[in-house]
Amino acid sequence: MVATLLIRNTSRASSSYLKRSMSSSADGIKNICVVGAGQMGIGIGLVAARVAKLNVQFIDSSPAQLSKGLEFLDKLLVKDIAKGKYTEEVRSEVKARITTASSISQMATADFVIEAISENAELKRKVFGELSATLPQETILATNTSSISITKIASAASRPENVIGMHFMNPVPVMKLVEVIPGLQTSNQTLEITLALAQKMGKTTTMSQDVPGFIANRLLMPYINEAIIALGEGIATKEDIDTTMKLGTNNPMGPLTLADFIGLDTCLAIMKVLHNELGDSKYRPAVLLQKYVDAGWLGVKSGRGIYEYPSKK
């Protein structure tokens, strides 16, 4: 794997040095903590435990969510066994590496933390403040944010040089990419270890500057938003919009179906970040997107979004 590096104003280690060091710089990472036991957090933890063979602790304030998340994780393992990808022995090994806790104060010492809570800047800053007060100073703190400033999140930590963005794609066990985003304060060592950990988890990395939306969502979300605007204006039906983009541009999934899988609330939150931070009207969230979220129609996870999913209700 070759990490894609950007030239930044602050000095960064050369790409050749990173390639040489990535194979060993994650060797000290044995225990990770994932804050948030939703779909993203569970996916991240599963890959860490199964592929990288790390000990994983999930932290979530909701016991019900922890239980639901672990049930989802086991279903993924069972599904892979049925497909012949893994054995029952692997399933047992993975589950043995996993523990849970209901608060940051109860967490075990971790070498690396990945935060995967809702896309809310102040909530993330609160969590990073608590993590900084609880964990050893050398612990690296990564956020799975898909759009919020890493620099802003890092400013809430006592050692912002240990904070970095690590944006996994959904569903994490399937999608190969991780966007790595250093903040203004992020150290070279933090960057190197994060790139190496992503590689150890079987992922390919790209690197983005710390700008709203980074690479993926800076390009993807306006595309989805425009599709929802087209639907709202009656340009075409949802089926015809999706079919046009699937068959006309060779996308595996139409933009409206994809929005439902991502979560319309997540799409709205990212569009608001883009609009507020960049100030360009082209990023204004679609009125219909806001209406769907207001109605509680969030996509697959709620049983209804742009499409209906009766089995999920």
Side-chain angles (χ1 to χ4, degrees), residues 166-238:
M166 200 177 188
H167 179 211
F168 290 82
M169 305 295 148
N170 189 30
V172 180
V174 176
M175 303 297 282
K176 296 294 186 182
L177 183 71
V178 174
E179 281 184 309
V180 176
I181 310 99
L184 183 64
Q185 315 96 315
T186 305
S187 70
N188 287 334
Q189 182 181 30
T190 296
L191 173 60
E192 292 166 19
I193 292 173
T194 302
L195 289 168
L197 177 60
Q199 182 187 46
K200 192 173 182 178
M201 294 172 70
K203 301 300 184 183
T204 298
T205 59
T206 57
M207 199 167 96
S208 171
Q209 293 190 41
D210 185 18
V211 295
F214 316 131
I215 302 169
N217 283 328
R218 182 71 172 267
L219 302 176
L220 176 63
M221 285 302 155
Y223 160 65
I224 287 175
N225 192 60
E226 193 63 34
I228 297 173
I229 290 173
L231 178 64
E233 292 179 354
I235 292 174
T237 65
K238 55 182 178 285

Side-chain angles (χ1 to χ4, degrees), residues 237-312:
T237 65
K238 55 182 178 285
E239 293 85 1
D240 281 349
I241 291 170
D242 275 353
T243 300
T244 297
M245 298 313 295
K246 285 172 63 180
L247 303 185
T249 63
N250 203 29
N251 282 312
M253 187 180 293
L256 301 177
T257 300
L258 179 57
D260 273 354
F261 274 89
I262 293 170
L264 300 186
D265 53 338
T266 300
C267 294
L268 178 61
I270 295 170
M271 286 307 302
K272 285 182 175 180
V273 169
L274 293 175
H275 188 226
N276 293 337
E277 296 293 327
L278 298 173
D280 194 320
S281 61
K282 70 181 181 181
Y283 299 114
R284 184 182 297 117
V287 173
L288 185 59
L289 175 58
Q290 181 70 66
K291 284 185 177 180
Y292 276 123
V293 173
D294 289 345
W297 298 355
L298 308 181
V300 175
K301 61 187 174 184
S302 68
R304 181 168 184 173
I306 295 171
Y307 295 91
E308 292 190 39
Y309 308 88
S311 63
K312 298 291 183 178

Side-chain angles (χ1 to χ4, degrees), residues 49-65:
R50 184 174 62 188
V51 179
K53 295 179 170 56
L54 300 173
N55 298 316
V56 177
Q57 184 176 47
F58 291 107
I59 308 291
D60 199 294
S61 59
S62 168
Q65 184 59 53

Side-chain angles (χ1 to χ4, degrees), residues 115-137:
E115 165 271 310
I117 63 174
S118 59
E119 198 72 349
N120 180 298
E122 291 312 310
L123 186 57
K124 288 180 186 290
R125 282 172 51 81
K126 180 177 182 291
V127 166
F128 274 73
E130 292 176 5
L131 290 169
S132 292
T134 303
L135 293 166
Q137 289 189 339

